Amino acid sequence: MPAATHQILVIFIALAAGFVCRKLKVITEEGTSTLSGIVVKVILPFYLFNAIASSDAGVDASGVGIAIALSAAMFAVCGLVGLIFVTVFKPSKDDRGVYIFELLCANVTYIGIPVCGAVFGSNAAFYASLLNIPYNLVCFSLGIYILSGKLSFKTALNPAFLSGVLGSLFFIFKIPLPSVVSDACAFIGQATSPCAMLVVGSVLGSVAIRDVFGQWRAIPYTVIRLFGTAALVLLLTKPLNIDPTLRGVLVLMAAMPAATNSTMLCSIYGGSRELSAKLIFISTALSVISIPLWASFFN
């Protein structure tokens, strides 16, 4: 079994576990909201800091800057695609924000980092972690505004964004981390993807299965999310003289399924959580096919 397929199936099984827990009332509505906050504000920051600060990738300060700048450009392209999508397909006012968010922000953390590492190696996991710096800035500022109409300086400077910046400084200036600190960060960070998938599965457990496939716009959305944005990023980066691994990471990240952060952010700040869960379910399920296709393209 290809490494990318294996990683996606592992993540999808974790999502199914959250679904079953909600159906059996092991995870309640209140528990889902609490776990969402813990992932976003505690567990994820530890993961990102350690992934960047402890990396042995052969990249200098300029390479870090280029990776972050191109990542920001990638999100700008995806955001433009989101605006075009809602203009063409005209979802309701309540749903517009979720569709734009889910095209602007893919699952570049909980699925993207491990998948890039599995496909391209350790340097790719480093680049993927760097990509999460602009992602978390956009997600927790513009993203929250798109979903709920709320925006504040406090949410923009969120723990995940700050931990990524701090980790980059440690990496650039070669500041050694004591092994006990690195091990502790890694220990806590290991819970990131499992807990996030439990949250998404729990939200899906509160939605009738027949309703998951009741959104016809989810079909063109999923095609664009899994293939269209990635093809566009591949086309735009082709003329650039950059590390092929970085190009591969940018394209593969643009091909990731819907961001699970939307469900957690809707739980915390308000928004159409049910629609976000449906888009996550459909795009994540079909990414079992699409991501291995992209991985085989690069291999």
Side-chain angles (χ1 to χ4, degrees):
M1 181 184 294
T5 305
H6 175 88
Q7 191 64 46
I8 288 292
L9 289 175
V10 167
I11 291 169
F12 203 76
I13 290 171
L15 187 151
F19 179 88
V20 172
C21 285
R22 184 59 178 268
K23 290 297 185 183
L24 297 178
K25 302 188 186 309
V26 175
I27 301 179
T28 62
E29 177 68 24
E30 182 181 359
T32 301
S33 297
T34 300
L35 186 56
S36 296
I38 292 173
V39 171
V40 170
K41 299 175 182 178
V42 181
I43 299 175
L44 177 59
F46 277 100
Y47 177 85
L48 291 177
F49 172 76
N50 188 63
I52 298 173
S54 299
S55 176
D56 58 357
V59 180
D60 58 15
S62 64
V64 171
I66 290 172
I68 293 175
L70 288 176
S71 299
M74 184 200 78
F75 290 120
V77 169
C78 292
L80 180 59
V81 171
L83 290 174
I84 295 173
F85 179 91
V86 297
T87 301
V88 173
F89 292 99
K90 303 183 186 307
S92 67
K93 182 179 179 181
D94 292 339
D95 293 346
R96 281 174 58 90
V98 174
Y99 279 110
I100 294 174
F101 182 94
E102 294 292 18
L103 283 166
L104 170 66
C105 300
N107 195 331
V108 299
T109 304
Y110 312 118
I111 296 179
I113 294 176
V115 166
C116 284
V119 174
F120 297 115
S122 59
N123 270 20
F126 172 74
Y127 280 134
S129 298
L130 287 177
L131 184 144
N132 274 266
I133 295 176
Y135 168 79
N136 281 293
L137 180 61
V138 169
C139 178
F140 291 94
S141 56
L142 180 60
I144 291 174
Y145 178 76
I146 290 171
L147 287 172
S148 63
K150 302 174 184 177
L151 179 63
S152 71
F153 185 73
K154 182 178 180 180
T155 57
L157 296 180
N158 60 85
F161 168 73
L162 295 175
S163 67
V165 172
L166 183 62
S168 297
L169 293 176
F170 270 71
F171 176 83
I172 291 171
F173 294 104
K174 307 300 180 185
I175 302 174
L177 278 180
S179 60
V180 66
V181 174
S182 178
D183 290 346
C185 290
F187 178 70
I188 297 171
Q190 286 174 352
T192 301
S193 290
C195 287
M197 291 302 105
L198 287 175
V199 169
V200 176
S202 175
V203 172
L204 284 172
S206 66
V207 178
I209 291 296
R210 63 179 180 275
D211 293 338
V212 172
F213 300 97
Q215 293 279 343
W216 69 266
R217 293 179 184 85
I219 303 304
Y221 159 81
T222 301
V223 173
I224 295 170
R225 173 71 277 169
L226 300 181
F227 294 100
T229 52
L232 185 57
V233 171
L234 177 63
L235 179 66
L236 293 175
T237 58
K238 191 172 182 180
L240 302 180
N241 183 24
I242 59 175
D243 184 348
T245 299
L246 175 57
R247 176 181 289 109
V249 167
L250 291 170
V251 173
L252 200 55
M253 287 298 213
M256 288 295 125
T260 55
N261 272 348
S262 65
T263 302
M264 292 185 284
L265 291 176
C266 286
S267 297
I268 298 170
Y269 299 103
S272 183
R273 194 180 66 172
E274 289 74 19
L275 175 60
S276 74
K278 294 172 187 177
L279 297 181
I280 291 166
F281 182 90
I282 295 172
S283 60
T284 303
L286 294 180
S287 70
V288 176
I289 300 172
S290 63
I291 291 178
L293 289 176
W294 280 111
S296 64
F297 170 80
F298 284 102
N299 287 336

